[in-house]
Structures are given as C-alpha cells and as structure tokens.
Amino acid sequence: MSLGIIHFPGSVKWRFCCGQNLLHLIFFCYICHFVTGHIRYSIPEEMKKGSLIGNVAQDLGLDLKRLRFGHARLVSGESVQYVELKADKGILVVKERIDREQLCGDTTPCSFTFEMILENPMELHQITVEITDINDNSPTFKRDRMDFEISEIAATGARFPLATAEDLDVGVNGMREYFLNDNDNFVLKQHSNAEGKKYAEMVLQKPLDRETNPNLSLKLIAVDGGTPQRSGTVNIDVVVLDVNDNAPVFNQSLYKATVTENPLKNTYVTTVNASDADFGSNSVVTYYFSDVISTLGDLFNIDEKSGVILTTGSIDFEKDKKFELQIYAKDQGGLTDSSKVIIDVGDINDNAPAISVMSFTSPVSEDSPTGTTIGIINVKDLDSGDNGQVSCKIEGTAPFKITSKLKHYYTLITDSVLDRESVSEYNITVVATDNGAPPLSAKRIFNIKVSDVNDNAPVFSKSVYSAFITENNTPGVSVLTLKANDPDENQNARISYILEGKYIAGSSVSEYVSVNVETGVVEAVRSFDYEQIKELVFVVKAQDGGPLPLSSNVTVKIIIQDQNDNPPQVLYPVQTGGSMVAEMVPRSADVGYLVTKVVAVDVDSGQNAWLSYKLQKATDRALFEVGLQNGEIRTIRQVTDKDAVKQRLTVIVEDNGQPSRSATVIVNVAVADSFPEVMSEFSDFPQDKEYNDNLTFYLVLALAVVSFLFITCLVVIISVKIYRWRQSRILYQSNLPVIPYYPPRYSDTLGTGTLPHVYNYEVCRTTDSRKSDSKFGSGLTDSSKVIIEVIDINDNAPVISVMSFTNTVSEDSPPGTTIGIINVKDLDSGDNGQVSCKIDGNVPFKIKSNLRNYYTLITDSVLDRESVSEYNISAVATDGGKPPLAAKIIFNLKLFDVNDNAPTFSQSVYSAFIKENNPPGLSFLTMKATDPDENQNARISYILEDKNVGGSAISKYVSVNVETGVVHSICTFDYEQIKELVFVVKAQDGGSPPLSSNATVKLLIQDQNDNPPQVLYPVQTGGSMVAEMVPRSADVGYLVTKVVAVDVDSGQNAWLSYKLQKATDRALFEVGLQNGEIRTIRQVTDKDAVKQRLTVIVEDNGQPSRSATVIVNVAVADSFPEVMSEFSDFPQDKEYNDNLTFYLVLALAVVSFLFITCLVVIISVKIYRWRQSRILYHSSLPVIPYYPPRYSDTLGTGTLPHVYNYEVCRTADSRKSDSKFGEAASQNVLIMDPSSKGTMQRIQSEKSILDEPDSPLEVSNSDYD
C-alpha cells in the first residue's frame, strides 16, 4: 500500500534583468491507497529550450528510481508539448518556446495543466505550469493616423472615440494609459470596459471655429506599465465641418449569420444597413469595423458602401466557434451608429482522427488470460458533433479486440487464448474512423510477438520401443536411441531423458541400463544373462527444461537373446561321492528292457537346449544302448548268465548349440536277481575316501588366522611403545621457540552526522489584466454599458473519466487496495456542479475521494474468489442540482486466484483388498482429492509419504500415480510375510507455497493356497531308517504314531486332512482323517510281516488343494533285536572321528585362549592407568593458572599490572605439581626447573611428561597474589 505524503514547499525566486517577480508553487499530496498530488509552477514566457521548470522528484518526495521503474510519463490533452520530463534527473524542462500571448491571448492567469502518471503502484500527480508575462510588446495602434471631421456646432463636452492601442502583454506589462498632446479644444478622458481594457475619448472642451482653425493636428500616445516602459503613437487630424445634426441609424441592433468553416475567399456572410435622415452628402453612410476587433479584420471585410460582409481569411471551427463583430455606420458629417453581428461557424469533417500510443507491450506471454491489456491508445478528432465521434476496430481476424472505458482512450486486449506454437507473431492494424460524411479514418499497425511458456510436454515418436541384445554383452554397449520432440522453444524445448525408478528381480533398473540425459541413447550397464532375465521392461521419462517442467513417458522393452553358455545338467541319476548307487537288471530281462533313464536339462533355450544322449563308455557295449532323444538306457539283447554282475556305463549328454556343450554321467548297473547277490558283488567297489576332509581344512584355516592375529597384536603393541619413546626424546632435545598468537585488535569508531536540507521558496502573485474597447467617429456619439449575468441551470450531467483501472485483482488483496481512479467533472457551477459518488448494490468495494474531482475505487472487505470470482461494479456520480443529474460507469473486475485452499480427500481413511501373488503393477485403489482453487493452484499431485515396513521403504511395496492418484503394487505380496499395509498418501497442490493434506490407506492382503503342508513328524532322513514299533499283542485301535503337519496358509487353505495312500498291509492300519493318528484296525497276528511301510498323504482344503507325503516305517515285533535282524540290510550311518580333527580343535582352542587373555590384560592396564589419573584429578594439590601471552585487561579493572606465564611440571613418582614464576618479561613462555634456584631454563630431566600420554595432567585453580 502506498502512502501519499503532504509536502509544504517554501519559496522559489525568479530574477530578471530589470526586477524581480514572485512565482507561485502550490503542491498538494493526499494520503490514500494510491498517491496523488498537485504541483503548480510559475515560469516567465520566452524561456530557452531545456530551461529548468522545477524538480518534480524533490517537490513530490519521490525517489529517482521510483520515476524510472514506475515508467513516469506526462499525459496532456494539448497538441503541442511545451514541457518535458527528465526522469533520470526528476526535473521538468522547457521543450518548446512558450509565447504567453500565443498560448493564452488576454486570458489571465495563463497556465496549462497536465498529469504525471506512475505505475506499480499507481500514482497520479497533476501539474500546472503558469506562464507569467514579460514586457516584450509595445502598445500599437491599428492605423498610423486618425481623421476626424467635426461640425463646428459640436457642443462642448462632445466625445469622440479614439483608436484603441493594443498591447499583447497583460497585467502590469499591458496597456496602462493614454496621453494627448496639448491643445485648446480637446481634452483626453480614459475609460475601462467590463473586461478591464482601457480606451480613450477625446472630449470637446472649447467649441470649434472652422473660420479660425479649420484643421487640427493632434498626437495620441499610449504607454504600458512595464519596465522599461514602452509606448506607441497615432496622429489625429481633425477637420471642422459644417453642421450635420442627424446620425446614421442601423435597422437592427443585432445581426446574426452563419458560415461554415474553411470557406472560400469573399464568401458572403450577411449585409448590414443603416439610414441617415440628413440630406445630401450628410446622408451618405459608410460602414466599418470597430478597431477593438482589429484581429478579425484578417478574417472578414465589410463593403463600406453596401454593408456587405465577406470572408477574407481562413476560418477554423476548431479554433473559433463564434465571432462577434462591432460595426459602425458613419455619415458624411461624421455622425455614427453601431451594431453587432454574431457569426456562428458551422463545423465540417475536415480533421481525421489522430492515434497516439500511450502504452504498448510486446512480446506478450502465450499464457496470458483473455482480457490481458496489450496497449493503450488515445484517439482524438478535433471536429465536433458526429464529425468528432470516433470508433475503433481491428482489421482482419486476430485474437485481439479494442475496448474503451474512458473517453478518447482505447485498450487493446486479448480476445482469446494465444498459442505461440500456432502463431508466434501478429501484425495488428487498428483503424479509427469518425462519423462524418464522408468519414475520415486513421490507421496504426502494432507488431506483437508471442513469448513462449512451457505448455507442451515432450512427445515420443512411439509409445513403446523394442530392442534386442544378445546375452553376455559388453557393459556400456548402446542398445537403442530414444527421441522425443517438444514444440516449445529455447529452454522449454530442451529435453532431458530420465530413467524412471523400478525394481527388476529385487534390483533397481539403473543397475541394468542407463539413459544418456542429453541424447536419449540407452546403454547396457552390465552383462545380461538370458537364464536370469529374458526381458527388461522399463520406463524412460522425457522432461523439458521449463520452470515447471513437463514430461511424458515411454515404455522400453529390451529382449535378451540366448547364447549357448550353459552345459547340460544331469538331474538323474544323482552322482554322489561317498556311496555307490546301482540300477538292478534281472537276468531274465529281455531285449528292450528299460534299465533306467538319464534325465538332464539345459537352462539355455531354443536349439541350445535340445539335448542328445550318447553312450560314451560301457563294460559291455553290446548289452546296453541309450536313446538319442530321451536318454533311456535299454538292453539291446537278452541278458545271459555269462554277463558280469557289475556294469559301468558312461553317458554323455550334448546340447545343440554352436559350439555345443556337454556333460557326462556314470551309471552303475547290477545284473542280478537278488539284492544280497548285488551286495556281495559290489562290496569290493573302491570307496572314495576324503583324506582332506572339509572339516580338517576349515580347522587348519581357523588355527592359522587366530595365530596370525595374535602375533600381529603383539608386534603392534611393541611398535607403538617404541614410537612414543622416540617421540618423547625428540621433543626433549629440541630448542624450538614457542610462538604466541596475538589476536587482532579492533577499534570501533562511531560518528554521527546530519544532512540538513534548506528549502527556500518565495510566493508571488500577479494581478489580472483588463481588456478595453474603443470607438471613434467624426460625428456626435454617445455610449453606455450593458452587464448581462448568466444564471446557471443544471443542464450538464457529471462526466466520469477513468484515469486508471486494474481489471484483475488478487483475492488476498487487503481491504483498502486501490482498484481504479476516476475523474468526475460537472460543467455546472454552485450546487449544480457539486458531485457525489457512490457504488450501487452490495459489493465489497467503496469509493473515497482525497483530491477534488478525483475518486478512488478501493476494496472494502476481504475478497474470496471461490465465493465470487467476478464483480460488475456500478459507480454512480450525482450532482446537487434540482432535479439532480447522474452518470454511471460499470467496472468489470475479475479476481485471480491465490493458493488459499488445501486439497481435500473424499475420505480420511481408504481401505482396499489385494490377493497375494499378485502381478507387479496391479492397481487396487484410486484416490481422489479436490481443491477449490483454479489453474496451477488446483493441480493436485499425489505423493507417497516415506515409511518403513518390515525394514524396507513403503515405496518398494506400492506406488502412487502423481497425476491420477491410482495406487499400484510394486511387488508381489506374500500373505505369509505381510498381512496388512498401512501407509499415508499426501495430496499436494501446485501453488506457491504448496498446500497439502494426508489420507491413510489400509491395504489388506488376502490369502491364496500357495503353500503345501509341511510334515513336522515323523522327520524324514535320507541316511538312516526310523521305525515305529508295534507289539504283536497290540489290539484294535492301538496308537502306532501320529503324523504332525502344518500349513502356513490361513483359513480353509490351512485345514488339513490325512489319508493312507499306500501300505504293505492296508487291512492292518488306518489314519485319522483330521488328527493324523495311525492306529491298528484289527488284531496283530504272528503272520503279519515285521517290516511295514506306510505312505501317508496330507492335503489342505484350498482351491486347488496342495499335498505332501510322508513315509512311515513300522516294525511289528516284541523286541528290538528282532527288529534289527529284520532291518539289518538297511544302510547304516558310519561315524568317522579322526584323531587329526581332535588335535586341530584342541590347538584352535589353546591359541584362541591365549589371544583373548592378551586382549584382557591390555584393557586392564589401560583401565588401571586411567583410574590413577582420576585419583590425581580429585587430589587437593594446588594448581597454578596459566594466562595467555600478550593479553591485557580490556575493561581496565584488572589488578595485574604485568603479564605472567607459567609452566606446570610433574614429578615421576609422587605425581605432585610444582611451579615457579618469574618477573614480568616479554617472553611468552617461562620454563622452570623444579631443582633450580630462581634460574629459568628448559627442563632437562630424563622423564618427560610426554612419556605417559595416557595419563593426562588435570589441575584446578588456586589464587596467587
């Protein structure tokens, strides 16, 4: 808000060569929400160009920067600009020569007024420049001589009007008085008319005697009041005539005529007529104009005989709308009569409109709203009536229009939305046409350039890019190039390519590929493995460089092509090093008997995974063959008794890649009819024995590491001790001086000063000038005065002019914000000219006035765009006449938005459901927030608030689309790990500063049947046999054992049922459907086999159901030896406990104990030393203070006149501190030897305080005088 400041200037003196004139300077400034002021300057005429008129900046209290940045300019309705504003200096200077007589004529005081307008904030200052007169014109007569013919019978006291002298100057410099030379017959009498103009009459004081003196020669002198005085003369010749007692008489006292402007020369105006009752030559009448209207003699001429009035000069309606002629009729005897002729000038359309550009803005931003002001023009037509009525329009089709809210002022505004990408430049032709017949027009072309805003996002040429790359590629290889286009320009069109964050197989996508931010080239960051990743799908964002960057995304698919880089893997038979597995072939096997099947896979794909099987080696190649495609090992002939029991086959598996890769497997085949035969034959198979067992290796490795750490610790401790001892010796023997640091001293010098300003002003005043009329004739005359007072009636309505108006205002504008300035004038006077303004309707605005005829439209209360976005304000100006007249003007005011409303969610808590094992990227919820603001302030972004779930950021689980609020899953959820996710989403608008609100989202994960049951008991082991014993005396329902299983799913997916799938004797056992209990269903007999094998299947209740199986071995026997004898052919676990393992464990334990003991001892010593130092710290030993060198008492209140320095020394055993101090000296450090007697020197003892760095010496203060 701007505040006007009232200035009271002093006086200004103007000095001239012949004297001194006082000049007026009146300056008013009123306090309101905008600044207004009125300054009045007074200057003499005929000043040189560039002469100083006044210091506007100083008189108005304005800063020079305010004038420059406020675009100060002068607005005047005059066609000639007499003054010029020097904004850089803040002064007014003369621009054109000023002739007061040419500017104002007889009008006093002579002045012209203009306005100075400043912007941001709006200021209006009215400046009036008064032109004072100087004595630069002498009184002049229209003619060189005057001839009078006076009858000799003229009575004493007869008056004869003399020629009037005209002095173009006014006031004291104007016409002052007349003088008539000495004579016996006439005296001079001076008069002033109603306008103050002086004229003289010659009065007959002594009768004339033609016979004595038939002719008189007189001289009339006119002088002005200037300094120096100027004068003019005219000769008067008087001829004495014979008697003529009748004067001419006009047939009308007032003649009226009309003539159009710009008439041809000698155009007829009217005819006047006067008659004389005399006879003969005394009745001959001649006509002539009065000398008072001598200025009109160049425009009109009257025929002295006929009385016909013709035009002789150019008549311009715009200068003079009416002429008043004083006409005299004179007879031959010199008697006269007078009459008036009033000539009205008719207007014709002879002036085309004149277009003046007051303000123009180019370029204009393409996001300018409709109604944005581009320029302000002033259009004037000097004609009147319809000829002066002007209308403006724009030629052609363009998104602009012309509006007018102030007379003669037109605003060029945008009419629709601009788009630089469509049209970047406009040439707008504005045509102003008047209403004359024929109409005249003027044309002005405006070149408007549209500046760019960032309103176009980059666009990719494709929505999806696809590329291929062969696995095992070189890191950094270029895969493809992305290209996006942005129709904006400059920085707004500069595109950056950004890789959007995404996780692939638990790793960020940036670990796989990278995108060049400038060129869009996509490069591989690592070498790809087809077997791990077959396809990469990621998103690349193209973002421009605008202040609010825009972006678009594109999906990139990189398909990884397979190479033959993996050999086949044999799944069966499983190769083990510690045991022998053999396939049994009965000797009765026929041709084509299936021995076994080699199962292999290749993780490559395509032809690289096509496998072929070949028999590489065999004990008897004529007995077996391998299927090339299926790996089946079959007999190719009949097995005989001669065939060896032990058969060893080596099968090679090859893929179809280039080059091919292969794997081999050894298959042991036993040709026998019984298992004991096989065991007896295979007992001499060589067993793989691992003399370098893994356990032994790790024990040796652990022993070596611990030993190395132990030795290293000892070496480090010894090295540190030696290093500290050497450092103490070096410091002890050095002679380095101690260099103190002196802090800088600062001085503070304070000074005070005043900057007095003296302003001296002198105010002076001039008197008004008067006009005079004169008449003269040769006959007998008389004159009188008629004063006509015109009474005002209320016939003029107030006229409202908009000086300034802001058509948009921010909704957060405080009460009292200035919206516009209007000027209201009423040409009437008195109460008829008293005007009051008000606003119609109930709107949050009001009108106030702080300067006469100027009113300010301001806000009256707080505005809210969300409630009312646009106002039509009707301002009514009413005068005080009877009846009152009124004028109305309507202001259309739009409110532009500020960010005063935060986004609001429709719900405070959102709930959603998602099934586990969902595909990543699945959307499960859409959030919606609303913001009553508009444009950027209402643009809502949805942001996922940071939170950790299970040690990971929430962004690893879900994501929120920043624009639509759609919530997506990032990963596949597992109900068994996470059953519920609770997170917060923030809705943030695009205002500055942004406002936001939060909403809680609860995501419930629904279980699916994705986990099979897990059997807890009986535990299945591969190397040993576990059997449940059932006595033969067991009755029906005997509990053998219980199968215990669990399912990590929930609900019905975890409901388990147990079923007996296989059994050696299904009539002996049953399984409880719900509890898994295995019970007998009949009496056990001696005929039942000892070895019973049961297969139990456990199924859940999911859809589809999942299951697990467990094998239960049951021994039907009464004693354990009976069971062992029956189960003796089962493989037994052999426990191998080597002596080497025992000793390695023992050695590792011993070395570890020594290492830990060493560490404990070192830590104990350190703690002991630290405690000793604390004991010294709490002792009552005196402590000697240390004062820094070269420091003085800055406050001047200390008691120490000198500077003392101390060194604290410690004895080796007692840990007591002794100190000595010497006299004041310039040394910075005083070194004291405890054994010395007042001599100061450096300590030379063997034991230095530096020998024990871990025992700090800490002292306390004590006082010393």
PDB file of all heavy atoms in Angstrom, residues 942-958:
ATOM      1  N   TYR A 942      -0.196 -36.429  -6.157  1.00  0.00           N
ATOM      2  CA  TYR A 942      -0.336 -37.419  -5.096  1.00  0.00           C
ATOM      3  C   TYR A 942       1.046 -37.987  -4.803  1.00  0.00           C
ATOM      4  O   TYR A 942       1.740 -38.472  -5.695  1.00  0.00           O
ATOM      5  CB  TYR A 942      -1.304 -38.524  -5.517  1.00  0.00           C
ATOM      6  CG  TYR A 942      -2.693 -38.018  -5.805  1.00  0.00           C
ATOM      7  CD1 TYR A 942      -3.035 -37.556  -7.072  1.00  0.00           C
ATOM      8  CD2 TYR A 942      -3.653 -37.965  -4.808  1.00  0.00           C
ATOM      9  CE1 TYR A 942      -4.307 -37.074  -7.345  1.00  0.00           C
ATOM     10  CE2 TYR A 942      -4.938 -37.486  -5.073  1.00  0.00           C
ATOM     11  CZ  TYR A 942      -5.257 -37.041  -6.339  1.00  0.00           C
ATOM     12  OH  TYR A 942      -6.503 -36.577  -6.611  1.00  0.00           O
ATOM     13  N   ILE A 943       1.433 -37.925  -3.545  1.00  0.00           N
ATOM     14  CA  ILE A 943       2.798 -38.280  -3.133  1.00  0.00           C
ATOM     15  C   ILE A 943       2.705 -39.314  -2.018  1.00  0.00           C
ATOM     16  O   ILE A 943       1.940 -39.157  -1.054  1.00  0.00           O
ATOM     17  CB  ILE A 943       3.572 -37.037  -2.650  1.00  0.00           C
ATOM     18  CG1 ILE A 943       3.596 -35.969  -3.760  1.00  0.00           C
ATOM     19  CG2 ILE A 943       4.992 -37.416  -2.244  1.00  0.00           C
ATOM     20  CD1 ILE A 943       4.124 -34.640  -3.293  1.00  0.00           C
ATOM     21  N   LEU A 944       3.507 -40.361  -2.155  1.00  0.00           N
ATOM     22  CA  LEU A 944       3.564 -41.412  -1.140  1.00  0.00           C
ATOM     23  C   LEU A 944       4.509 -40.975  -0.029  1.00  0.00           C
ATOM     24  O   LEU A 944       5.677 -40.689  -0.274  1.00  0.00           O
ATOM     25  CB  LEU A 944       4.037 -42.718  -1.785  1.00  0.00           C
ATOM     26  CG  LEU A 944       4.018 -43.974  -0.910  1.00  0.00           C
ATOM     27  CD1 LEU A 944       2.588 -44.326  -0.537  1.00  0.00           C
ATOM     28  CD2 LEU A 944       4.667 -45.138  -1.649  1.00  0.00           C
ATOM     29  N   GLU A 945       3.992 -40.868   1.189  1.00  0.00           N
ATOM     30  CA  GLU A 945       4.803 -40.446   2.324  1.00  0.00           C
ATOM     31  C   GLU A 945       5.776 -41.568   2.708  1.00  0.00           C
ATOM     32  O   GLU A 945       5.426 -42.752   2.682  1.00  0.00           O
ATOM     33  CB  GLU A 945       3.908 -40.105   3.523  1.00  0.00           C
ATOM     34  CG  GLU A 945       3.067 -38.859   3.319  1.00  0.00           C
ATOM     35  CD  GLU A 945       3.890 -37.602   3.435  1.00  0.00           C
ATOM     36  OE1 GLU A 945       4.508 -37.220   2.410  1.00  0.00           O
ATOM     37  OE2 GLU A 945       3.943 -37.011   4.509  1.00  0.00           O
ATOM     38  N   ASP A 946       7.000 -41.177   3.096  1.00  0.00           N
ATOM     39  CA  ASP A 946       8.028 -42.154   3.449  1.00  0.00           C
ATOM     40  C   ASP A 946       7.638 -42.907   4.723  1.00  0.00           C
ATOM     41  O   ASP A 946       7.187 -42.313   5.714  1.00  0.00           O
ATOM     42  CB  ASP A 946       9.369 -41.458   3.658  1.00  0.00           C
ATOM     43  CG  ASP A 946       9.940 -40.943   2.348  1.00  0.00           C
ATOM     44  OD1 ASP A 946       9.557 -41.496   1.292  1.00  0.00           O
ATOM     45  OD2 ASP A 946      10.751 -40.022   2.389  1.00  0.00           O
ATOM     46  N   LYS A 947       7.832 -44.216   4.677  1.00  0.00           N
ATOM     47  CA  LYS A 947       7.559 -45.057   5.842  1.00  0.00           C
ATOM     48  C   LYS A 947       8.253 -46.392   5.604  1.00  0.00           C
ATOM     49  O   LYS A 947       8.375 -46.851   4.468  1.00  0.00           O
ATOM     50  CB  LYS A 947       6.040 -45.258   6.022  1.00  0.00           C
ATOM     51  CG  LYS A 947       5.683 -46.129   7.207  1.00  0.00           C
ATOM     52  CD  LYS A 947       4.177 -46.343   7.286  1.00  0.00           C
ATOM     53  CE  LYS A 947       3.819 -47.273   8.436  1.00  0.00           C
ATOM     54  NZ  LYS A 947       2.373 -47.550   8.492  1.00  0.00           N
ATOM     55  N   ASN A 948       8.715 -47.023   6.682  1.00  0.00           N
ATOM     56  CA  ASN A 948       9.366 -48.319   6.573  1.00  0.00           C
ATOM     57  C   ASN A 948       8.395 -49.413   7.004  1.00  0.00           C
ATOM     58  O   ASN A 948       7.724 -49.300   8.044  1.00  0.00           O
ATOM     59  CB  ASN A 948      10.625 -48.382   7.447  1.00  0.00           C
ATOM     60  CG  ASN A 948      11.762 -47.585   6.829  1.00  0.00           C
ATOM     61  OD1 ASN A 948      11.740 -47.316   5.631  1.00  0.00           O
ATOM     62  ND2 ASN A 948      12.728 -47.192   7.634  1.00  0.00           N
ATOM     63  N   VAL A 949       8.349 -50.466   6.210  1.00  0.00           N
ATOM     64  CA  VAL A 949       7.528 -51.644   6.517  1.00  0.00           C
ATOM     65  C   VAL A 949       8.449 -52.846   6.461  1.00  0.00           C
ATOM     66  O   VAL A 949       9.004 -53.159   5.394  1.00  0.00           O
ATOM     67  CB  VAL A 949       6.354 -51.790   5.520  1.00  0.00           C
ATOM     68  CG1 VAL A 949       5.584 -53.070   5.820  1.00  0.00           C
ATOM     69  CG2 VAL A 949       5.446 -50.585   5.583  1.00  0.00           C
ATOM     70  N   GLY A 950       8.608 -53.488   7.585  1.00  0.00           N
ATOM     71  CA  GLY A 950       9.483 -54.666   7.631  1.00  0.00           C
ATOM     72  C   GLY A 950      10.911 -54.340   7.256  1.00  0.00           C
ATOM     73  O   GLY A 950      11.582 -55.153   6.632  1.00  0.00           O
ATOM     74  N   GLY A 951      11.393 -53.119   7.626  1.00  0.00           N
ATOM     75  CA  GLY A 951      12.767 -52.737   7.331  1.00  0.00           C
ATOM     76  C   GLY A 951      12.974 -52.205   5.938  1.00  0.00           C
ATOM     77  O   GLY A 951      14.097 -51.849   5.577  1.00  0.00           O
ATOM     78  N   SER A 952      11.951 -52.128   5.125  1.00  0.00           N
ATOM     79  CA  SER A 952      12.065 -51.616   3.752  1.00  0.00           C
ATOM     80  C   SER A 952      11.128 -50.426   3.583  1.00  0.00           C
ATOM     81  O   SER A 952      10.106 -50.312   4.257  1.00  0.00           O
ATOM     82  CB  SER A 952      11.707 -52.711   2.734  1.00  0.00           C
ATOM     83  OG  SER A 952      12.574 -53.811   2.858  1.00  0.00           O
ATOM     84  N   ALA A 953      11.517 -49.543   2.660  1.00  0.00           N
ATOM     85  CA  ALA A 953      10.692 -48.365   2.386  1.00  0.00           C
ATOM     86  C   ALA A 953       9.364 -48.798   1.779  1.00  0.00           C
ATOM     87  O   ALA A 953       9.278 -49.789   1.050  1.00  0.00           O
ATOM     88  CB  ALA A 953      11.407 -47.403   1.449  1.00  0.00           C
ATOM     89  N   ILE A 954       8.337 -48.044   2.097  1.00  0.00           N
ATOM     90  CA  ILE A 954       6.991 -48.356   1.578  1.00  0.00           C
ATOM     91  C   ILE A 954       6.970 -48.285   0.051  1.00  0.00           C
ATOM     92  O   ILE A 954       6.166 -48.937  -0.602  1.00  0.00           O
ATOM     93  CB  ILE A 954       5.950 -47.388   2.197  1.00  0.00           C
ATOM     94  CG1 ILE A 954       4.526 -47.834   1.840  1.00  0.00           C
ATOM     95  CG2 ILE A 954       6.211 -45.964   1.727  1.00  0.00           C
ATOM     96  CD1 ILE A 954       4.135 -49.130   2.454  1.00  0.00           C
ATOM     97  N   SER A 955       7.901 -47.479  -0.530  1.00  0.00           N
ATOM     98  CA  SER A 955       7.928 -47.338  -1.990  1.00  0.00           C
ATOM     99  C   SER A 955       8.351 -48.626  -2.681  1.00  0.00           C
ATOM    100  O   SER A 955       8.206 -48.733  -3.899  1.00  0.00           O
ATOM    101  CB  SER A 955       8.874 -46.202  -2.381  1.00  0.00           C
ATOM    102  OG  SER A 955      10.174 -46.445  -1.893  1.00  0.00           O
ATOM    103  N   LYS A 956       8.893 -49.599  -1.925  1.00  0.00           N
ATOM    104  CA  LYS A 956       9.217 -50.888  -2.523  1.00  0.00           C
ATOM    105  C   LYS A 956       7.992 -51.797  -2.633  1.00  0.00           C
ATOM    106  O   LYS A 956       8.051 -52.848  -3.259  1.00  0.00           O
ATOM    107  CB  LYS A 956      10.311 -51.593  -1.714  1.00  0.00           C
ATOM    108  CG  LYS A 956      11.670 -50.923  -1.828  1.00  0.00           C
ATOM    109  CD  LYS A 956      12.748 -51.760  -1.169  1.00  0.00           C
ATOM    110  CE  LYS A 956      14.120 -51.138  -1.357  1.00  0.00           C
ATOM    111  NZ  LYS A 956      15.188 -51.957  -0.728  1.00  0.00           N
ATOM    112  N   TYR A 957       6.915 -51.396  -1.988  1.00  0.00           N
ATOM    113  CA  TYR A 957       5.707 -52.204  -1.985  1.00  0.00           C
ATOM    114  C   TYR A 957       4.626 -51.615  -2.886  1.00  0.00           C
ATOM    115  O   TYR A 957       3.994 -52.343  -3.654  1.00  0.00           O
ATOM    116  CB  TYR A 957       5.152 -52.352  -0.566  1.00  0.00           C
ATOM    117  CG  TYR A 957       6.066 -53.099   0.363  1.00  0.00           C
ATOM    118  CD1 TYR A 957       6.991 -52.424   1.154  1.00  0.00           C
ATOM    119  CD2 TYR A 957       6.019 -54.491   0.450  1.00  0.00           C
ATOM    120  CE1 TYR A 957       7.837 -53.107   2.018  1.00  0.00           C
ATOM    121  CE2 TYR A 957       6.855 -55.185   1.316  1.00  0.00           C
ATOM    122  CZ  TYR A 957       7.780 -54.496   2.099  1.00  0.00           C
ATOM    123  OH  TYR A 957       8.603 -55.177   2.927  1.00  0.00           O
ATOM    124  N   VAL A 958       4.410 -50.305  -2.761  1.00  0.00           N
ATOM    125  CA  VAL A 958       3.339 -49.664  -3.536  1.00  0.00           C
ATOM    126  C   VAL A 958       3.857 -48.367  -4.133  1.00  0.00           C
ATOM    127  O   VAL A 958       4.874 -47.823  -3.692  1.00  0.00           O
ATOM    128  CB  VAL A 958       2.095 -49.375  -2.657  1.00  0.00           C
ATOM    129  CG1 VAL A 958       1.439 -50.658  -2.198  1.00  0.00           C
ATOM    130  CG2 VAL A 958       2.453 -48.483  -1.484  1.00  0.00           C
TER     131      VAL A 958
END
